[in-house]
Amino acid sequence: MKTIQCLQDVKVPSDCSVTIKSRLITVTGPRGTLRRNLKHLQIDIRLISKSVIRVEKWFSNRKELAAVNTVCSHIGNMFIGVQRGFRYKMKSVYAHFPINIAISEEGRKVEIRNFLGEKYTRIVRMPEGVSAANTGSKDEYQ
């Protein structure tokens, strides 16, 4: 059974600005700018006022309605990212081959050794604005 209309509003924080042009959302805040392309979804995204974004979907079934809440969650996460930023924690877990992780170049490069018993050393360079550090507990990094 199809639902005729489903809509949800998202409040824009006072220290953020939003531009929406054909499902390409740009959020600017104190920590920078984030862009998200949502052109693959058949939804309507409009800026009702400077402080409210409306996401709506017309004539859809239950699975298509889930896209409305997903888009609102993405927009909310973008606001958090440009206001406070995110911190991710990673823990290396192994059963038989102990994984060794070394952080070098002031957190700009991570070297992973003995992954699944391999001799090959995997090197991961962090993107701009991202740094890696050891949290102090065993096999945990942020």
Side-chain angles (χ1 to χ4, degrees):
M1 185 168 156
K2 293 206 178 244
T3 303
I4 295 176
Q5 181 192 22
C6 176
L7 63 92
Q8 196 168 342
D9 291 338
V10 179
K11 287 192 161 199
V12 178
S14 60
D15 58 344
C16 294
S17 64
V18 178
T19 58
I20 299 171
K21 183 169 170 121
S22 64
R23 293 184 294 219
L24 181 68
I25 302 170
T26 305
V27 177
T28 306
R31 294 183 63 102
T33 302
L34 290 174
R35 288 180 190 82
R36 189 81 189 224
N37 187 351
L38 299 170
K39 291 184 180 182
H40 62 283
L41 297 171
Q42 284 80 33
I43 55 173
D44 297 332
I45 305 172
R46 290 185 308 213
L47 203 59
I48 299 297
S49 67
K50 277 193 159 186
S51 62
V52 176
I53 298 172
R54 177 161 288 167
V55 179
E56 62 184 332
K57 178 110 174 90
W58 291 83
F59 300 108
S60 55
N61 58 23
R62 185 170 173 236
K63 288 197 173 196
E64 294 169 349
L65 288 177
V68 174
N69 196 29
T70 301
V71 168
C72 292
S73 298
H74 284 314
I75 294 170
N77 288 339
M78 289 169 72
F79 290 142
I80 292 171
V82 297
Q83 286 178 319
R84 296 182 293 208
F86 285 100
R87 173 170 290 169
Y88 294 99
K89 288 188 178 181
M90 179 183 76
K91 189 168 188 168
S92 64
V93 180
Y94 50 87
H96 180 69
F97 302 107
I99 301 170
N100 297 324
I101 297 177
I103 299 171
S104 59
E105 294 180 12
E106 297 175 0
R108 303 289 300 146
K109 184 170 95 172
V110 177
E111 297 175 354
I112 303 169
R113 291 186 179 87
N114 203 26
F115 180 71
L116 298 177
E118 295 175 338
K119 297 292 182 190
Y120 177 72
T121 300
R122 297 169 186 255
I123 298 173
V124 179
R125 297 205 177 272
M126 297 292 117
E128 188 68 34
V130 178
S131 64
N134 195 346
T135 60
S137 63
K138 186 177 186 288
D139 296 332
E140 188 172 285
Y141 307 92
Q142 65 181 8

